[in-house]
Amino acid sequence: MLRSPHSTSDDLLVLHALRCIGFAALSRLAEATGLSESDTESELIDLAVAGLVTRDSGGFGDFGGWGLSEAGRAADAERIRDELDTAGARTAVTRAYDDFLVLNPELLDICTAWQLRSAGGVMTANDHTDPVYDSRVLERLADLHRRADAVCAGLSAALLRFQRYRIRLATALARAEAGAVEYVTDDFESYHTVWFQLHEDLLATLGIPRN
Amino acid sequence: MIWIHPLSPETEEPPDVLGGKGHGLVVLRRLGLPVPPGFVIGTGACLAFLRDGRFPDGLGAELATAVSGLEAATRRRLGAPERPLAVSVRSGGSVSMPGMMNTVLNVGLTSEATAGLAAETGDVRFALDSRLRFLSGFASAVAGVPPESLDAAARAVAGHGPGDDEARLAETIAGVEALIRERTGGPVPDDAARQLELAVGAVFSSWDTPRARTYRTLHGIPHDLGTAVTVQAMVFGNRDGRSGTGVAFSRDPNTGESVPYGDVLFGRQGEDVVSGRSATLPLGELAGREPAVWARLLDALERIEGHCRDACQVEFTFEAGELWLLQVRPGGLAGRAAVRVAVDLADEGVISRREALLRVSPRHLRYARTPRIETAGTLDVLTRGLGACPGVAAGRLATTADRAVRMAADGPVILVRPQTSPLDMHGLAAAAGVVTARGGPASHAAVVARAMGKPAVVGAADLTVDDAAASVRAGGRVFPEGTLVTVDGTGGEVVVGSPRVVTAPTDPHLHRLLEWADQVSGGVPGAGPERDDAERLRAAHAASGAH
């Protein structure tokens, strides 16, 4: 029998987004969770009252806004672990993490090739004036994305919240393909930034320390 | 033999058959330099294997014959309980694809052979360490276990004290064996010949992983070249205190200065240096600790330079005081270093001035304009890693992203982390430069640093970040948060204080090269406000008939 994927409550979605993306303004949190800005803000206020998140007015540039407190970090770890076990998703997420680890070095190679060009043993910054080269890199990103999307589909079938990564990664790729070069590595919603958060999410979900 | 070629001076096959590594080893043999005995399985066998999904006809028999020959040459037997032979199985195509393909070391160390090695050397720790290295390579190359899982297996037994090396190794071995069983559904084959076949097959297959295909597409390398496989008798850099491994350049790759440069690790095998996971010592340490190895290495570098008429680099291992060369490559010098080597070689009479001009491309000149730390004076080097984003940045050291943000209000900050996570992004944004202890030029930290345009050094392996104590430790010294440091994201240096920074126009070697360029092209030096350096070089190339 097919089980329908586990759906995460809005307050945990917001708490966990902060755990995976770090200090962030409201708009970025809404983007990461897929909730509206007003719903996200309402959850943040409740989480702040509970002492799990803090609002930092002195943050740096675009990072000003919301952050996790120590209590929030601990609460997130516990609730995300409980969710994983309640949903019976540990096996599926572990397998997806293994598949992710195979794709991760390739994605980093692609991002590096997007930023630096190697010729005659010299690495120089890619100034994006050679459309043939750029489209070759983007083709490899699109090819990797097809394989990555299959991994994310498996994750989403177990925990619905991972669906958001499918959407954000596909959007970043589409924007980059449409000529917005900052959506490969530079923008807050660039392919690499979202991928980096997915990596952090898998580690956090499985309780694997980064070191 | 059709598929297999001996590593001997007489072998004449070109690099597209032997691979760059195999061909380089044949050249070293011709120069009379010490290379462990072995043979090369040509790229044709790889292509046939990838086409048919099995070893081509005759390869199995040739492999058995070649192994017998190696056994005779070393007076050892593969997988034997007494005097066991262990071999290295390395990839190597005609075009270098660093880090893309597989290598398995210590193949043939079955449990019986491991016991034999322990009995022969009287050193159980060494034998177990070698067996663990075999299993880790096998797990990664043959069973597809990701490096993160192998690291986790090693960490899981980290609780032992310093005297418990053997117990720790035995437990880690059991952990890696379990990972392999989990992945493949069976145990590691305890038959040495079978281990070798599987390792060779895994190296062949690594040519065609999606990551390798992507790498080739990105770098314009054809997909139909295939990789050769070099099989050699192991030399053990992990044998004892008079053993080790390293990388040596005939000239300093940062400056081009004609002094040997590189890294050495005592008591380890080659992968430890290349992977950047272990803290290495400067090459010069060899001079005091193993003067005979040092002398032979210098002699080898000189002979290779004489042959190539260019700077070169070698990977080497020494076992119980005896030097062996495992790989040779062109120097791979870039920017200002390439300019200096070309000018020096012309001054030494090794190449003509015209050839010196042709060896430097306009790209090198563009690269040479990147600001660098002046390395000529005495520098107080805090640590070294790999340059990941070119440029120089100076600032006060911070060990957490939060503190980097706070400290940045009072002036520039250098963020130093073990590695980075998305939770460090605000700190990266606030910092003027970044240093990480782990990771390579294609790591999350490197990609983010480049996206933000911050000079970055990654993989500074001897660096420990203690964010609770707000300090970092490197080279036996402790530096508190707030220490003024400077990072060079090209050369990978992290220096205490604010050393002088140089840019190309002050470089005397570049000056001379461009004078030669004007002589060749008939251009007038100093004419006009400042003729572009690359223009002057291009004019000389055009006059020399180069495209």
Side-chain angles (χ1 to χ4, degrees):
Chain A
M1 193 187 81
L2 272 177
R3 241 194 332 197
S4 60
H6 175 88
S7 182
T8 307
S9 63
D10 287 357
D11 64 330
L12 183 54
L13 274 184
V14 172
L15 184 68
H16 191 57
L18 270 178
R19 167 65 185 82
C20 298
I21 76 177
F23 275 93
L26 180 61
S27 58
R28 286 184 61 212
L29 283 165
E31 194 61 46
T33 55
L35 301 173
S36 70
E37 287 200 13
S38 62
D39 287 350
T40 307
E41 189 165 36
S42 151
E43 295 299 343
L44 282 166
I45 291 165
D46 288 346
L47 290 164
V49 170
L52 302 181
V53 308
T54 57
R55 177 150 191 186
D56 181 5
S57 54
F60 186 82
D62 297 324
F63 295 89
W66 299 89
L68 219 50
S69 67
E70 274 307 311
R73 196 182 163 98
D76 176 70
E78 190 181 329
R79 292 185 61 186
I80 282 293
R81 187 184 60 233
D82 288 350
E83 177 189 70
L84 185 67
D85 292 331
T86 310
R90 186 172 289 275
T91 309
V93 176
T94 303
R95 190 176 314 129
Y97 177 59
D98 275 0
D99 294 340
F100 175 91
L101 289 181
V102 173
L103 297 174
N104 189 47
E106 186 179 342
L107 184 272
L108 292 169
D109 292 340
I110 292 169
C111 291
T112 300
W114 181 257
Q115 296 173 318
L116 298 174
R117 285 192 73 167
S118 135
V122 186
M123 299 289 263
T124 47
N126 179 17
D127 56 9
H128 302 293
T129 53
D130 178 354
V132 176
Y133 179 80
D134 277 4
S135 68
R136 205 195 306 158
V137 180
L138 287 177
E139 270 166 36
R140 296 318 303 165
L141 183 61
D143 185 89
L144 176 124
H145 176 71
R146 280 190 285 280
R147 289 171 278 141
D149 190 56
V151 175
C152 291
L155 280 166
S156 313
L159 292 172
L160 196 56
R161 63 182 170 84
F162 281 100
Q163 183 71 14
R164 193 67 203 152
Y165 290 104
R166 295 183 75 182
I167 296 164
R168 294 169 70 205
L169 290 171
T171 305
L173 175 63
R175 285 174 172 164
E177 285 175 328
V181 292
E182 67 276 20
Y183 279 91
V184 179
T185 56
D186 297 2
D187 192 88
F188 276 132
E189 281 299 313
S190 73
Y191 202 96
H192 176 261
T193 308
V194 177
W195 181 270
F196 195 10
Q197 291 165 11
L198 170 59
H199 193 171
E200 187 71 13
D201 198 342
L202 289 166
L203 291 169
T205 301
L206 292 169
I208 299 170
R210 211 169 234 288
N211 303 326
Chain B
M1 299 239 202
I2 304 169
W3 307 109
I4 292 184
H5 314 280
L7 276 180
S8 78
E10 293 79 33
T11 295
E12 283 177 350
E13 275 72 13
D16 62 327
V17 172
L18 300 176
K21 185 179 298 173
H23 185 260
L25 291 173
V26 168
V27 170
L28 294 180
R29 291 292 318 271
R30 283 188 204 138
L31 292 173
L33 293 168
V35 172
F39 53 87
V40 181
I41 307 172
T43 50
C46 171
L47 295 174
F49 177 88
L50 294 174
R51 188 185 58 228
D52 303 332
R54 60 175 178 83
F55 277 7
D57 292 340
L59 178 58
E62 286 191 21
L63 192 56
T65 308
V67 167
S68 299
L70 197 51
E71 289 176 335
T74 56
R75 292 180 293 114
R76 294 179 165 276
R77 289 239 333 276
L78 191 69
E82 277 177 39
R83 285 186 60 79
L85 170 68
V87 296
S88 63
V89 179
R90 296 171 201 266
S91 59
S94 54
V95 183
S96 168
M97 293 169 51
M100 288 301 129
M101 286 186 297
N102 285 329
T103 281
V104 190
L105 301 180
N106 307 316
V107 174
L109 284 187
T110 58
S111 32
E112 204 178 45
T114 305
L117 193 63
E120 178 189 338
T121 59
D123 189 344
V124 178
R125 188 212 58 83
F126 156 66
L128 290 178
D129 184 55
S130 303
R131 163 89 173 159
L132 175 59
R133 288 165 188 276
F134 158 66
L135 288 171
S136 300
F138 188 91
S140 158
V142 182
V145 176
E148 288 84 351
S149 304
L150 290 170
D151 289 348
R155 270 201 311 272
V157 295
H160 293 284
D164 292 340
D165 262 8
E166 289 170 23
R168 181 181 54 80
L169 286 165
E171 256 185 73
T172 313
I173 284 172
V176 175
E177 284 173 335
L179 280 174
I180 294 170
R181 208 173 303 118
E182 210 172 277
R183 275 265 162 172
T184 63
V188 183
D190 218 24
D191 166 352
R194 181 73 190 133
Q195 288 178 357
L196 177 57
E197 280 171 18
L198 286 168
V200 170
V203 173
F204 285 159
S205 300
S206 68
W207 175 259
D208 242 356
T209 60
R211 185 181 177 207
R213 294 194 71 89
T214 287
Y215 184 91
R216 288 196 294 273
T217 304
L218 294 174
H219 293 89
I221 302 167
H223 290 301
D224 59 359
L225 302 175
T227 181
V229 183
T230 302
V231 179
Q232 288 175 282
M234 278 301 303
V235 285
F236 292 103
N238 59 334
R239 175 69 186 83
D240 56 23
R242 298 200 52 209
S243 306
T245 184
V247 177
F249 293 81
S250 61
R251 298 179 188 231
D252 185 335
N254 295 308
T255 62
E257 196 186 345
S258 183
V259 289
Y261 180 93
D263 301 301
V264 61
L265 257 177
F266 288 87
R268 303 292 188 83
Q269 285 190 353
E271 297 301 289
D272 296 330
V273 179
V274 183
S275 72
R277 285 170 186 223
S278 303
T280 56
L281 298 171
L283 186 67
E285 291 284 313
L286 262 180
R289 281 181 65 170
E290 289 297 331
V293 171
W294 174 248
R296 291 206 72 182
L297 183 63
L298 294 191
D299 171 61
L301 290 172
E302 199 177 307
R303 267 198 267 176
I304 298 166
E305 265 211 0
H307 174 80
C308 306
R309 300 188 308 125
D310 201 353
C312 63
Q313 55 171 300
V314 298
E315 284 175 26
F316 64 92
T317 283
F318 50 104
E319 178 180 343
E322 189 171 0
L323 176 72
W324 299 94
L325 302 182
L326 303 181
Q327 178 153 3
V328 62
R329 287 199 199 92
L333 271 48
R336 204 165 302 144
V339 171
R340 169 142 192 193
V341 169
V343 170
D344 283 352
L345 287 172
D347 284 346
E348 290 162 24
V350 177
I351 59 175
S352 67
R353 288 184 175 183
R354 205 169 278 261
E355 193 171 349
L357 284 165
L358 291 176
R359 285 201 182 170
V360 178
S361 75
R363 247 177 221 284
H364 282 114
L365 293 192
R366 204 185 316 154
Y367 186 84
R369 276 198 293 271
T370 313
R372 298 286 309 268
I373 290 175
E374 167 73 88
T375 50
T378 44
L379 292 179
D380 185 0
V381 176
L382 191 154
T383 186
R384 283 177 206 278
L386 301 164
C389 183
V392 175
R396 309 250 161 224
L397 191 156
T399 62
T400 69
D402 289 350
R403 283 199 288 268
V405 169
R406 278 203 298 275
M407 289 165 62
D410 301 322
V413 169
I414 304 295
L415 178 62
V416 183
R417 296 288 298 152
Q419 58 186 337
T420 62
S421 88
L423 310 186
D424 296 318
M425 294 275 266
H426 60 302
L428 284 163
V434 186
V435 180
T436 68
R438 282 194 287 280
S443 60
H444 288 309
V447 170
V448 171
R450 288 191 292 262
M452 294 183 175
K454 313 278 181 178
V457 172
V458 298
D462 79 331
L463 183 72
T464 314
V465 181
D466 185 345
D467 56 49
S471 64
V472 304
R473 214 167 51 242
R477 297 192 291 169
V478 175
F479 301 90
E481 209 154 58
T483 305
L484 179 63
V485 297
T486 303
V487 300
D488 184 332
T490 304
E493 295 92 358
V494 182
V495 173
V496 182
S498 54
R500 239 166 63 84
V501 172
V502 286
T503 44
T506 61
D507 190 301
H509 295 90
L510 179 60
H511 217 75
R512 293 194 57 210
L513 187 83
L514 292 173
E515 277 173 17
W516 298 348
D518 292 338
Q519 285 162 15
V520 167
S521 68
V524 188
E530 258 311 297
R531 205 147 58 95
D532 182 59
D533 296 350
E535 275 307 310
R536 292 165 75 183
L537 186 63
R538 264 191 221 103
H541 284 185
S544 300
H547 350 236

